[in-house]
Amino acid sequence: RAFAVHWLTRFTENKWTKIQDIVVKDITAYLQSTINKSLLYIIDKRDLKDLWVECYVDSDFGGCLDSRKSTSGYLTYIKGKYGTNCLVDWSSKVQKIASTSSAEAELQAFVQATERSLIPVASILEVIMNRKVHIKIFSDNQATLQAIEKGYSNRLVHMNRTQRVSIAKMNNIYWEFNNVMNASAHKISTHENPSDNNTKALETHIFRNDKIKTKFFPLMNEVKRNQVIGNFDRNFWINL
């Protein structure tokens, strides 16, 4: 998983202990036990004229016990109303500067997801589809969404100097997208946010449920293109 691998990279230069050796063995065992599984892309022909991009953003405030820095995570999907669901980009990364509040950490994660994933994916899809693409952004922090919508926040105004995060810039991007690409920002609960798994280690029962959220299924080599499966009619099923 993205979080586990990124967590190990923090100790590659120094501080490597037996604990990291145990984690490496656990990751290797996980890869061995899931060698017959892969991400499954579901693409319906009827969605080709109306695809959109969804990005789920989250952060773990002060999750790193050594530096007290927060961890940003996001998942970016291409989706359609007839069942198209493709996970095309994801990330788990410790923020460079320690945040002083959960809203600050969430805003930093929001900016990273917008600049590094959402805009590039939407731009590439526009070129491929030769049309404008709708985008949807989901965050579980209401204060962050309100600050971006207003373009200003007394509590977060210092981020422009300390972390080079401009709320006004995000507001301009958001409203530009809203006018040109029909973008929208939505509040989502933490339990329904699939990007939560990219910010912290999860318990077993939560991890199993998250496999369903990210469409992590066994390989289906016997499935052929245009074959009807379940409720999906005329689907392309592509295993990567």
Side-chain angles (χ1 to χ4, degrees):
R1 306 294 283 191
F3 175 80
V5 174
H6 179 70
W7 181 83
L8 282 175
T9 61
R10 306 177 195 176
F11 307 93
T12 53
E13 295 183 359
N14 51 31
K15 298 182 180 180
W16 190 277
T17 66
K18 293 183 178 180
I19 297 177
Q20 281 69 43
D21 289 334
I22 295 175
V23 174
V24 169
K25 292 180 180 179
D26 290 341
I27 294 176
T28 305
Y30 168 78
L31 294 175
Q32 178 63 32
S33 64
T34 58
I35 196 172
N36 64 333
K37 298 181 180 181
S38 71
L39 286 175
L40 183 63
Y41 283 9
I42 305 174
I43 305 175
D44 194 300
K45 292 180 180 178
R46 295 169 293 180
D47 286 329
L48 295 180
K49 295 182 179 180
D50 191 26
L51 293 173
W52 66 82
V53 180
E54 287 187 4
C55 185
Y56 296 85
V57 185
D58 197 16
S59 69
D60 182 29
F61 175 52
C64 181
L65 298 179
D66 296 328
S67 62
R68 296 301 176 183
K69 294 180 180 179
S70 304
T71 302
S72 299
Y74 61 78
L75 295 171
T76 303
Y77 297 82
I78 296 177
K79 290 191 176 184
K81 65 180 180 179
Y82 291 106
T84 296
N85 193 350
C86 303
L87 176 60
V88 295
D89 190 22
W90 59 89
S91 174
S92 175
K93 189 174 182 180
V94 173
Q95 298 176 1
K96 295 182 179 180
I97 300 177
S99 301
T100 59
S101 66
S102 59
E104 185 176 329
E106 293 283 351
L107 179 58
Q108 192 173 167
F110 191 98
V111 172
Q112 291 176 358
T114 301
E115 296 179 344
R116 300 178 183 178
S117 181
L118 184 58
I119 293 178
V121 171
S123 299
I124 293 173
L125 193 59
E126 278 188 357
V127 174
I128 295 174
M129 305 301 295
N130 194 26
R131 64 171 177 81
K132 295 296 182 181
V133 176
H134 304 318
I135 63 173
K136 300 178 182 180
I137 311 171
F138 295 86
S139 174
D140 57 12
N141 190 277
Q142 188 64 38
T144 298
L145 296 176
Q146 290 177 349
I148 293 174
E149 183 176 358
K150 294 179 180 179
Y152 182 83
S153 173
N154 291 326
R155 295 173 52 193
L156 304 174
V157 66
H158 63 279
M159 293 186 66
N160 192 21
R161 300 191 309 272
T162 60
Q163 303 185 31
R164 296 183 179 179
V165 172
S166 173
I167 302 177
K169 178 182 177 182
M170 287 294 102
N171 175 265
N172 292 335
I173 293 176
Y174 174 79
W175 286 111
E176 180 184 351
F177 276 7
N178 192 43
N179 294 330
V180 179
M181 303 177 66
N182 191 25
S184 57
H186 303 271
K187 175 71 168 61
I188 188 174
S189 67
T190 301
H191 299 292
E192 296 176 348
N193 193 346
S195 64
D196 185 56
N197 74 335
N198 283 13
T199 62
K200 63 179 71 70
L202 301 179
E203 298 179 3
T204 303
H205 68 283
I206 300 177
F207 176 77
R208 289 174 178 172
N209 290 335
D210 188 73
K211 287 184 180 180
I212 299 177
K213 293 179 183 177
T214 55
K215 297 299 179 183
F216 195 80
F217 293 121
L219 281 171
M220 304 175 67
N221 294 326
E222 72 280 8
V223 176
K224 299 180 180 179
R225 290 190 175 188
N226 296 324
Q227 183 175 351
V228 178
I229 303 175
N231 296 325
F232 294 97
D233 187 14
R234 295 185 299 167
N235 284 355
F236 287 128
W237 292 67
I238 305 174
N239 289 293
L240 296 179

